[in-house]
Amino acid sequence: MNAPRTPAPSTATPWHARPPEDVLRELDADADGLSDSEAARRRARHGANVLPAAAGRSLWLRLAQQFDNVLIYALLAAGTVTLWLQHWIDASVIFGVVLVNAVIGFVQEGKAERALEAVRGMLARRALVLRRADGGAAERRDVDAAELVPGDLVLLASGNRVPADLRLLRTNNLRVDESALTGESVPVDKLAAAVAVDAPLAERAGMAYAGTVVTYGQARGVVVATGAATELGRIGTLVGGVAVLATPLARKLDQFGRRITAFILAASVLVFAFGYWVHGFDATELFLAVVGLAVAAIPEGLPAVVTIALAIGTQTMAARRAIVRRLPAVETLGSVTTICSDKTGTLTRNEMTAVALLLPWRTVEASGAGYAPEGGFTVAGAPLAAAAAPDLLALAHCGLLCNDAALTDREGVWTLAGDPTEGALLALALKAGFDSAHERAAWPRIDEVPFESERRYMATLHRDRAGGGLRLYVKGAPESVLTRCATAGDGRPLDAAAWEARTAHAAGAGQRLLALAVRELPAGPASIVPETVGELRLLGLVALIDPPRPEAIDAMARCRAGGIAVKMITGDHPATAAAIGERLGLRGAAALTGGAIDTLDAAGLRAALDATDVVARASPEHKLRLVAALQDGGRVVAMTGDGVNDAPALKRADIGVAMGGKGTDAAREAADIVLTDDNFATIVNAVHEGRRVYDNIKKSLLFTLPTNGGEAGVILLAVFLGLALPVTAAQILWVNMVTTVLLAIPLAFERAEPGSMRRPPRPPREPLVTRLLLARVLYVSVLMVAVTFTAFEWVLARGGTLEAARTAAVNMLVLGELVYLFNARHFVAHSLARDTLTDNRYALWAALALLALQALFTYAPPMQALFRTTGLDGATWALLWALALAKFFAVEAEKWLLRRCGVQRL
C-alpha cells in the first residue's frame, strides 16, 4: 500500500460532497480496513483521537490575579495604614474583605478548562473497526476510540456514540441524533449518497460526526477526521479561543475604583500641602489627619456588600431552579438587554407533539404539549369528543399500532423510549382514549416492514383476535404513502392534488408531516409482500412540531414589557424556526439563515439582527458571530443553550445560561448559570432577581459614598479652616467599621423595587455613579458635614472639653448615617411609611445594634480610654437626635422634589 496522504481537516475537505469510492481513494483506504502497521504510521502522523488539553494557569498565578484590582490596592493600603496605627480590629476587617473576594474569584476561575474537559468527554470511549494484521484477513476489533486514524473503517449500530467524523459508505435505516451538534430536534436519516458542497452541517446526510448518537439502524463509515480536526474538536477550539468578558458590574467597579483612588490620593496630597505650608501644622499630626481622611473616603465595605448581595441573589435564584456558577453573573442578568435563546429544549420542549390532524374531510387541532397524554381536540375552535369521531379514532389507532416506541409515566413525568415522532403518535392515541397495552394485545403484530430511508415508510400487519381479520397499517413520508393510496376516508377516490396542497401548506408552516393509511386484508398468509403495500386507504396526515413551552410564551411577554429583546437562534430548518418564532411572538417571517450570515459584514449583520428575531441553520461560528455583533452594538447579551454547539457562544456572551436537565456537559461547563428545569421562564425570573441585586448594590453605594464623603469632609474642612479636628483617625476607623458592618450590609437584603420588570434595562454604558446619584452624594455629604460641625462647635461653645466635642461629633456622624440608612432604602420613593422600619428586619436589628455599640463607645471605660471619649448629657443627646431628624427630612425633601420632576430612579 502506498504511503497515505495526510487528509485535510473535515472543515477544509468537503467529504460530504464526494462519492464514497472517491473518499476511500483519497484516504488510501479500502474495504478491508487498515493494517496494523499502517494504522500505527497514521497515528504517529495524526496523533491520538482525543481533543487537546488546554494549557492551564498555575494555582498561584490564578490566586495572585485575584488581587489585581485598583480598589483592592486601595484596601490593602488602608489595611497597612490601620496596622501601623495599631487598630487591629479594623485592619482585620479590611484584610478579611480582601481575602474573601480573592477566594471567591479563585474558586470561580477555570471555566475554559472545565468547558474543554466537558467537550472532550463527549468523544466515544470505544469503537468497532475493521482492521487486519499485516498480511492477514480483515477482522472486527473493539478498540479504544483514541486509536482511530483517518482511513479506519468504523461499524456503527443503534446506541453507539460516533467516535470520529465519518464519511458513510453504507447505511441500513440509519438515524443519528445530532441535536447537540446542530440543534435538530429529531434524529436525522443518513444515506451514503453525496450532497451539495455548500450543504449546511445539518443537511450532510452522508456524514456522521463525532459525539453524535446512533438512535436506529447500522452503518459502515470511513474516518475522515480525528481529534481536533473533527467538528466537535473545532467547537472545542472555538471554546478555548473565546475570551471571557468582564461583567458590566466588574467593569464599572474597576472604573469607579480607579477614579476614587486617584481622587483620594490627590485630595490627600493637597490637604497635607495646604495644612503644612499654609497653616503650619505639625507634620506628624497632619499626616495622621490625612490618613484619617484617606481611610474615611475609601469605601472599604463596598466589596463586602457587593459580595453579600451577589451571594443572596445566588441563594434566591437556586430556590428558583437557577444554579449560579460565577457570582457576578447574578448582577449581569439584571443588565441584560438581549437574550439569544436556543430553540430546541429551551423555548421548546424537545418533545415532538401532534398539533393537527389533516383528516379526509376536515382538520382537527390537537392541544397539549410533549409526551404527556394531556389535552383534547377541536374543530374550528369547537371542542370535539374523540369517542364521537371515528375518523380521528381510526387515525390514532394506526399511529398506536404502527409504532415501536414506548411511553412511561415516572412520577408524573412521561418519558420516551424510541423515536420522538413515534412518541408523539403514542401520546396522540392516549389523548384519544386508547389503552396501548390493551390495543396491542387485541391486535397483535404478526409481520412488519421497518422504516428504511429508501422506502420512507413503515408497515405493520395485525390480526384481530376477536374476528380473525388482518389489517395493514402504514405510516411514513406523505410523498411515499400518498402514491400508494387509492382512496381516502369512506372509500372515495383520492384527490392527490388536494392532498398535495394541504401538505405544502402545513410544511410551509414549519410542521413535520406523517401520512397514515390502512388496508383491510382477508384472512390468509400472515406476511407482508410488496404488492400488499398498495391500494391503501388514506386515514390522514399528522402535523408534528416541537412545541413552544407555554411558560416560554408568557416569559416572552414579560421580556417585551421589561425592554429586553429576544433572538431565537437554532440549527433547525428556516420554515420550522419561523413557525415556532411566530408562536412565541417573535419577528420571524424572514428568518436569517447561516448562509446569509456568511455573506454579511459586521455592520450588515447588526442591521439584519435589527430586522428579525429568528436565526436558522446557525453553526457554532454563526452563533459566536451573532453574539459578538450584538455586543459590538452596545448590547448586554445573555445566551442560552443546551448543546455542545452552543458552548463557544455561551462562553463569549456576557452571561451564558445552560440547561441542566437535557443539556450537555459542555454547555453546562461553559455557562455562568445552569437552569435545573430547562425552562426559559426561569431565565426571566433570574433577570428579575438580577435587577434586584443591582439595585441593592447601587443602594449600598448610595449609602456608602455620602457617609464616607461626610466623614472625609469633616476632616477636610477642619484642615482648610485651620480648626481642631472634630474626630481623630482612630475614631474615624471606628465609625467606618461599625457603619460598614451594621448599616451598609442590610441594604443587600432589600426587596425588589416596584415595577422593576416593567422598566427598560439600564443603558449598558450608564456609569455606576450617575449625575443624579452624584448630586445625592454631594447633597448628603454636605448635610453630614454641617450637622457634625454644628454638634462639635455647640459642645465647645457650652464650655465642653475637646474630648466631649469629639465624642458628640462621632455620635452625630453615626446617627446621621443611621437615619440616612432608611432614606437610602428607596431611591426616590418616600421613606415616611411604617414598612420603612418593618419590612427589612436586618436594617431594624442593625439600627438597634448600632445604638448599643455607640452607648459602649461613649460610656464604657475601656472604650473611653481607647478612643478618648467621654459621657454626654441629655441636652447634647437631644441636639444630636434633632439634627439627625432634620437631616432625614432634608433628604426626604430632595426625594420629593425629584418625584415632582418625574425622576423614578437614580
Side-chain angles (χ1 to χ4, degrees):
M1 181 179 289
N2 296 329
R5 291 166 291 178
T6 302
S10 61
T11 53
T13 304
W15 301 110
H16 57 279
R18 300 189 179 183
E21 56 274 15
D22 290 354
V23 175
L24 287 173
R25 186 167 50 253
E26 183 163 347
L27 292 172
D28 202 7
D30 57 46
D32 293 329
L34 300 177
S35 66
D36 291 337
S37 58
E38 180 61 25
R41 280 194 295 270
R42 296 192 183 196
R43 194 176 308 113
R45 176 174 300 180
H46 298 287
N49 180 32
V50 295
L51 298 184
R57 295 171 296 166
S58 69
L59 295 179
W60 290 111
L61 178 59
R62 282 175 52 194
L63 182 61
Q65 287 178 335
Q66 307 308 314
F67 297 92
D68 186 18
N69 180 283
V70 173
L71 195 55
I72 295 298
Y73 297 156
L75 288 173
L76 290 173
T80 302
V81 171
T82 53
L83 278 178
W84 181 71
L85 292 172
Q86 298 183 355
H87 204 287
W88 315 117
I89 296 177
D90 205 70
S92 298
V93 171
I94 295 173
F95 286 124
V97 168
V98 173
L99 184 61
V100 167
N101 280 277
V103 169
I104 289 173
F106 177 76
V107 170
Q108 299 297 331
E109 283 279 354
K111 184 171 66 168
E113 291 86 345
R114 291 194 297 272
L116 284 171
E117 286 296 330
V119 174
R120 194 176 299 118
M122 289 191 66
L123 288 176
R125 300 287 187 255
R126 308 293 298 178
L128 185 63
V129 301
L130 283 179
R131 287 267 182 90
R132 53 189 173 82
D134 293 338
E139 58 184 8
R140 297 188 177 200
R141 296 184 190 175
D142 183 26
V143 302
D144 188 332
E147 297 180 7
L148 293 180
V149 295
D152 258 327
L153 295 186
V154 176
L155 304 178
L156 298 176
S158 181
N160 290 163
R161 187 180 292 275
V162 180
D165 283 1
L166 308 179
R167 176 63 175 92
L168 298 174
L169 306 175
R170 187 189 315 161
T171 64
N172 182 18
N173 303 325
L174 184 68
R175 294 181 188 173
V176 179
D177 180 359
E178 296 182 329
S179 59
L181 192 65
T182 67
E184 282 282 359
S185 52
V186 295
V188 294
D189 296 329
K190 293 293 184 178
L191 299 169
V195 298
V197 173
D198 59 352
L201 193 69
E203 297 177 6
R204 297 175 186 176
M207 298 293 297
Y209 291 105
T212 60
V213 179
V214 177
T215 62
Y216 191 82
Q218 302 84 35
R220 175 181 296 190
V222 60
V223 175
V224 296
T226 59
T230 63
E231 287 294 323
L232 189 65
R234 185 174 56 81
I235 293 173
T237 302
L238 283 177
V239 173
V242 175
V244 179
L245 300 180
T247 67
L249 180 64
R251 293 194 293 267
K252 291 175 181 179
L253 283 175
D254 182 67
Q255 182 185 55
F256 171 75
R258 293 176 186 278
R259 289 179 176 177
I260 197 170
T261 300
F263 175 78
I264 291 170
L265 289 175
S268 298
V269 171
L270 178 63
V271 168
F272 185 89
F274 189 87
Y276 185 78
W277 297 107
V278 175
H279 292 297
F281 286 157
D282 177 73
T284 302
E285 181 181 349
L286 186 59
F287 177 74
L288 289 175
V290 169
V291 167
L293 169 67
V295 172
I298 293 174
E300 68 269 19
L302 186 60
V305 174
V306 170
T307 300
I308 291 169
L310 294 174
I312 293 169
T314 296
Q315 294 173 357
T316 303
M317 289 172 64
R320 294 186 172 190
R321 302 184 178 184
I323 306 301
V324 178
R325 298 183 64 249
R326 292 179 62 232
L327 208 58
V330 179
E331 176 278 330
T332 309
L333 268 174
S335 62
V336 162
T337 62
T338 304
I339 298 176
C340 293
S341 179
D342 183 45
K343 176 184 74 70
T344 306
T346 307
L347 294 172
T348 64
R349 300 176 61 93
N350 200 15
E351 297 176 351
M352 296 301 291
T353 302
V355 294
L357 313 179
L358 281 64
L359 302 175
W361 317 120
R362 59 180 173 177
T363 297
V364 176
E365 287 78 31
S367 61
Y371 300 131
E374 300 169 353
F377 304 96
T378 58
V379 176
L384 174 67
D391 52 350
L392 187 156
L393 291 176
L395 181 82
H397 197 253
C398 175
L400 171 63
L401 295 181
C402 190
N403 199 312
D404 290 327
L407 289 175
T408 306
D409 183 3
R410 297 178 179 174
E411 299 180 356
V413 178
W414 288 81
T415 57
L416 170 68
D419 185 84
T421 56
E422 293 194 328
L425 293 178
L426 277 183
L428 172 68
L430 294 178
K431 291 176 188 177
F434 286 110
D435 182 303
S436 59
H438 177 270
E439 293 302 320
R440 284 170 173 168
W443 292 85
R445 183 185 299 184
I446 56 178
D447 196 14
E448 67 180 274
V449 175
F451 180 91
E452 288 188 1
S453 302
E454 290 80 8
R455 284 192 300 264
R456 298 186 63 77
Y457 70 80
M458 173 184 179
T460 57
L461 185 62
H462 303 267
R463 186 185 302 279
D464 182 0
R465 281 192 185 277
L470 298 178
R471 183 176 293 175
L472 177 71
Y473 279 137
V474 179
K475 79 169 192 294
E479 61 270 21
S480 178
V481 175
L482 287 175
T483 58
R484 290 171 169 82
C485 292
T487 60
D490 58 2
R492 298 181 189 180
L494 182 75
D495 186 347
W499 281 101
E500 288 173 3
R502 296 178 76 183
T503 300
H505 181 269
Q511 298 170 341
R512 300 175 186 269
L513 293 172
L514 278 178
L516 287 82
V518 63
R519 182 177 181 183
E520 303 289 347
L521 298 172
S527 62
I528 303 175
V529 295
E531 294 77 14
T532 307
V533 189
E535 298 298 317
L536 302 174
R537 179 166 57 90
L538 182 65
L539 296 173
L541 305 180
V542 178
L544 304 161
I545 64 168
D546 178 14
R549 295 171 176 266
E551 60 272 22
I553 298 174
D554 295 335
M556 287 285 184
R558 292 180 62 194
C559 285
R560 287 191 289 271
I564 301 171
V566 179
K567 307 291 183 183
M568 186 180 77
I569 304 175
T570 178
D572 221 332
H573 191 278
T576 303
I580 297 297
E582 184 178 353
R583 285 172 172 254
L584 291 166
L586 300 176
R587 298 170 299 156
L592 180 65
T593 64
I597 292 173
D598 290 332
T599 66
L600 297 173
D601 58 14
L605 182 55
R606 286 195 294 272
L609 286 172
D610 287 338
T612 185
D613 295 329
V614 177
V615 182
R617 289 297 190 225
S619 69
E621 290 92 346
H622 293 145
K623 294 182 180 184
L624 203 55
R625 277 197 68 196
L626 292 167
V627 171
L630 290 168
Q631 290 172 329
D632 291 344
R635 310 280 187 91
V636 177
V637 181
M639 174 73 193
T640 77
D642 57 359
V644 62
N645 58 326
D646 298 316
L650 286 172
K651 187 182 172 189
R652 170 59 193 256
D654 297 283
I655 183 80
V657 183
M659 305 299 110
K662 297 179 181 178
T664 60
D665 288 341
R668 287 192 289 266
E669 292 298 327
D672 306 290
I673 292 176
V674 177
L675 307 184
T676 60
D677 60 356
D678 293 4
N679 193 333
F680 182 82
T682 303
I683 303 173
V684 183
N685 292 333
V687 169
H688 178 260
E689 182 63 22
R691 291 188 176 188
R692 183 186 75 88
V693 168
Y694 183 81
D695 282 347
N696 289 349
I697 290 172
K698 200 160 185 178
K699 287 176 183 178
S700 300
L701 195 66
L702 184 64
F703 172 81
T704 300
L705 291 184
T707 54
N708 283 24
E711 296 165 14
V714 168
I715 296 175
L716 191 67
L717 187 60
V719 171
F720 273 102
L721 295 180
L723 304 174
L725 291 178
V727 290
T728 66
Q731 290 170 343
I732 281 291
L733 289 170
W734 164 264
V735 173
N736 268 12
M737 183 179 69
V738 295
T739 57
T740 293
V741 173
L742 291 175
L743 297 187
I745 290 176
L747 291 171
F749 294 87
E750 285 293 318
R751 297 178 182 178
E753 288 282 303
S756 62
M757 283 303 290
R758 293 192 299 273
R759 71 183 189 223
R762 62 185 182 275
R765 293 184 174 85
E766 179 184 273
L768 196 61
V769 180
T770 62
R771 291 182 179 180
L772 286 174
L773 192 145
L774 180 60
R776 171 75 62 81
V777 168
L778 295 175
Y779 177 64
V780 176
S781 296
V782 170
L783 291 177
M784 290 281 292
V785 172
V787 295
T788 302
F789 260 98
T790 299
F792 179 73
E793 293 296 336
W794 186 81
V795 173
L796 290 178
R798 293 180 64 215
T801 63
L802 182 60
E803 287 75 12
R806 283 176 170 169
T807 303
V810 170
N811 279 290
M812 186 67 258
L813 280 172
V814 171
L815 291 179
E817 296 184 22
L818 174 61
V819 297
Y820 182 58
L821 169 66
F822 295 97
N823 291 128
R825 290 194 56 206
H826 304 291
F827 289 118
V828 178
H830 71 82
S831 299
L832 302 174
R834 181 180 178 183
D835 62 0
T836 302
L837 291 174
T838 58
D839 68 354
N840 185 342
R841 65 180 185 275
Y842 299 102
L844 186 59
W845 284 110
L848 296 175
L850 182 63
L851 292 175
L853 285 173
Q854 282 307 114
L856 291 174
F857 174 86
T858 305
Y859 295 106
M863 301 293 280
Q864 289 178 336
L866 183 61
F867 292 103
R868 298 182 181 179
T869 59
T870 185
L872 301 178
D873 58 19
T876 303
W877 280 115
L879 175 71
L880 297 182
W881 276 108
L883 291 173
L885 290 174
K887 176 179 171 295
F888 174 83
F889 286 108
V891 176
E892 288 301 307
E894 183 253 2
K895 290 163 70 175
W896 173 83
L897 184 60
L898 290 176
R899 291 196 300 274
R900 291 274 295 185
C901 295
V903 176
Q904 297 180 351
R905 58 194 295 260
L906 300 180

